[in-house]
Amino acid sequence: MKRWLLVLSTTAILAAADPAALSDQAMGLAQQKKLAEAEALWKQALQADAAYFPALFNLGLMKVQQSKFSEGEAYLEKAAKAEPKDFNSRYLLGLARSKNGDHDGALRAWRAALTLQPNQLKLMQVMSVEYGAGRYYQEAAAIAERAIELKPADPALYFMAITAYRQAGELSKGREVARRAAERFPESARAQFEYGWHLLKDGEYDSALTRIKKAMELDPSYEEPFFYYGDWLVNQGRYAEAEPLLRRAIEILPGYIPARVRLGRALMGDGRLDDAIAELNRAIEQEPRHPQPHLLLSQIYFRQKDLKKAAAEKRESLRLRRENPQFLEAEQTRPFPE
Amino acid sequence: MVLAVLLAAWAAEPPCAPLRAQGQATQRASAVSSGKRSDKPFLAKFVDAAPAAGLDMRFVYGDAKSKQYIMEANGSGVAWVDYDGDGRLDAFLVNGSTFDAPDAKAVSRLFRNDGKGGFEDVTAAAGVGRSGWGTGVCAGDYDNDGSTDLYVAYWGANALYRNTGKGGFQEQAAQAGVAGGADEWTSGCAFVDFDRDGLLDLLTTQYQRFDPKTTPKAGATSTCQWKGMPVFCGPRGLPYGGATLYHNKGDGSFEDVSETSGIRSVRSYYAFTAAAADFTGDGWPDIYVACDSTPNLFFINNGDGTFTDFATETGLGFNEHGNEQGGMGLGIGDFDNDGQLDIIKTNFAGDYPNVYHNLGDGIFEDIVIRAGLGANPQYVGWGVQLIDLDNDGLQDVFQVNGHVYPELDAQKAIDEAFRQPGVVYRNLGGGRFEDVTDLAGPGLEQKRSSRGAAFGDFDNDGDIDVLVMNMNDQASLFRNDLDSSNHWLRVKLRGTTSNRDAVGSVIRVKAGGATQARAVLSQDSYISHSDLRAHFGLGAAQKVNAILVQWPSGRSESFPAAGVDRELLLVEGEGEALASP
């Protein structure tokens, strides 16, 4: 009896001391969806070897899949240290950090992952979005440009770079990418529009409007060219001409608040104050938090010499502006903290 | 064994971007070209004549390399003022200070124009050499004794320099009741006869209440960064400023009427330059104030001693898209020669200036993009004016620039510089401008961090010169060496019923088929004071058909045809009376 017990306990000690065996056993359990048991075994494996990579990685992955990102991050950080050349742990670590709100940390993990797989296109796309979200627009543009080099036939990558350059204020670089996109994808409404938009900014109005009109023809269901053409006409004081374009943008995308507000502005400029009021009230119905329709209504009522209504709309606009600065504030680009 | 990881096209969710994450209202505006440039030559050429003219003023304004407080960043104004009545513009330059070891020798200085292109430092003799954190300056003959007085704003007590008429000034702020609070940071000021009693009243604007002991240091909070770089805090997050209106009692003293006049009915703003003029055309002076990172103020004069702020309703509160802006300086003029006073306002970097076109009835429209002034959003704009630089009969734009963060020079990640060149836009007519900076002479190649600018013809040669304050640097005197056959007229007004300097008048000149309007202002540009004489470029017109003056008293008069290329003195009551507005 004593001998039998000794054998059993020796086997248990041996198993406990073999993290690979424990981890394999855990993997089997995980595949059978017995996650709690699998977790216990991986933890046992770590008791035997605190730096045992498969246990660290799989625990991290499991926690990320369970949306337990903080726990996942802790395991994945150790996994990344245990296997410095492992791509997946660094990728997942970035994901966990991002979900935990540590966006700079996420990007650091992904930057490390990208050094391991420099041609990982999808990671580049993820990083470009994350850089942009963090206002690291220069970095977002740079990585999108790298992605274009890898897959020049994908128009989405060009648009990603153009957006990043626009946000970074690097319009000359954005224009060059847009030009390449317009040449490479002549049937892409977005490509034609993006190039047209840059030409518009550079004061090359004839060429710009030609491109933007072409975008409208290529895809009449694409709202942006209609909006920006209309917006340009409003900026030029050509209010009556702007109206049908802005209406078309709204027809395509009824919830397009900037287009509806701009339409209200165009109608106001054209002296059609009652029509403008109606349009701005529709904008308010659709987005009650937006201060700009109220601001324009204040101006219209002032023009109609209804100072009481003008004051009320002003107060509402100022209140909404305080409460919802996101509608009118612009976040500035910043360099990634190396 | 490792579970396979699929790289799904997972889009990272955007982080919760901190709202109002910077202390400064700005946009992400990109340059908008005004289109193909005309091939016309631009004949105004600006040369920095300050060193040769003996205008050896080096401004002190906080630490030159790193600024801990916003107090060190905003700089000061300058003034063209004929203090000795000799018909020549003298230069008054407001100086600042430092927090570490303030230099008592760093004082504001007055330079007398010797009439030969040079200047002589008369600060001590004139009694205006005060040290401290000076900010804005405005001028006007508040006691109607025939000599133009000065008001200088400070962080702390302000100064009212009464001109004795004998080459000197007496500081009278405390006795007159216009010194302001000890903790107030006054920025702008403007003499304005708001009740039309013939006496200049005084408006002051406060940027904020500032106390270095309670102001967080650079980089301390989310409102203390610029594009990720730690910088001084504010203005957002710091205590708001305000405005004060003083009524001139006529005995050398003033009374604070801010509450009863309605000026204090608006709160929560950071105020800079104030310009008082009749923007609505009803004969009463209104007040427009450029505000930083908060809505601007437009006090319409109700004609009964009170004002109502209608900035939002009239289109002057925000830009075309309803954004708050980092407003700094104001230029007042009539760029489309329709006889109405238009406004140009400079703003922070990453944003366009505003070109507020006056549509009449107190309604304005920001036409900056259409006008072609969206070409240089990379600059932080300060002093500015709508003014005819080449005497072609159309008011151009001269704007000085400079960033607020000298720390930019020590890093490479942000493509911006502390020192920035000025810009000049030529008025093409039809409400459109083009950038002609590269044609405007070597002075415009100068890169400095400029703030105040005053406009006037210091050498009386018939063109507009520009005096500029530069942060921790020498003053610039951009002498205009215009080589043109275009004609001009300079009009000096003398009020009799109105205040003697006729501040608040609007002059309309009919010549060459156009009617041009100019306002006589106590402050404009960036917290600065320009020539009280109105300058009109006339192009090829050989004569002026008529001059209409709307005096601040409410009286309107017509003066007969006049020759060109000369200065006229028009005295209230000597013209032909017209129906008042």
Side-chain angles (χ1 to χ4, degrees), chain A residues 27 58 91 95 103 120 126 130 133 171 201-202 235 239 262 265 314 321 328-329 331-333 335, chain B residues 1 5 7 10 12 15 18 22 27-28 30 32-33 227 236 309 312-313 318 320 322-323 365 370:
Chain A
M27 183 59 65
N58 286 318
Y91 170 76
L95 174 57
H103 299 278
Q120 182 49 258
V126 168
E130 188 78 28
L171 288 199
K201 283 279 182 183
D202 285 344
N235 282 335
Y239 302 117
R262 210 66 180 136
R265 174 67 186 86
K314 171 171 77 171
R321 184 179 302 275
L328 294 166
E329 294 288 315
E331 295 292 343
Q332 299 300 300
T333 188
Chain B
M1 187 189 293
V5 177
L7 265 172
W10 169 76
Q22 293 175 155
Q27 312 302 313
R28 254 194 330 252
S30 47
V32 180
S33 167
K227 298 187 176 181
R236 284 178 171 167
D309 174 34
T312 299
E313 294 92 326
F318 304 91
E320 164 71 8
N323 301 106
E365 182 176 50
R370 193 188 321 166

Side-chain angles (χ1 to χ4, degrees), chain B residues 464-476:
Chain B
I464 292 294
D465 313 294
V466 190
L467 178 66
V468 181
M469 184 273 176
N470 297 307
M471 295 290 281
N472 299 98
D473 210 333
Q474 296 288 336
S476 300

Side-chain angles (χ1 to χ4, degrees), chain B residues 375-431:
Chain B
N376 293 294
Q378 71 274 29
Y379 298 138
V380 181
W382 298 88
V384 67
Q385 191 51 282
L386 282 164
I387 200 146
D388 190 349
L389 301 169
D390 55 358
N391 288 342
D392 67 350
L394 295 166
Q395 288 190 304
D396 311 296
V397 173
F398 192 111
Q399 174 185 320
V400 300
N401 306 300
H403 219 297
V404 296
Y405 308 125
E407 294 88 346
L408 286 166
D409 291 346
Q411 58 81 52
K412 295 175 183 172
I414 305 173
D415 186 21
E416 292 175 354
F418 184 57
R419 292 168 188 80
Q420 301 174 335
V423 288
V424 172
Y425 299 94
R426 180 219 313 266
N427 189 335
L428 294 164

Side-chain angles (χ1 to χ4, degrees), chain B residues 77 129 145 202 288 311 318:
Chain B
D145 66 352
L202 176 65
Y288 186 60
F318 304 91

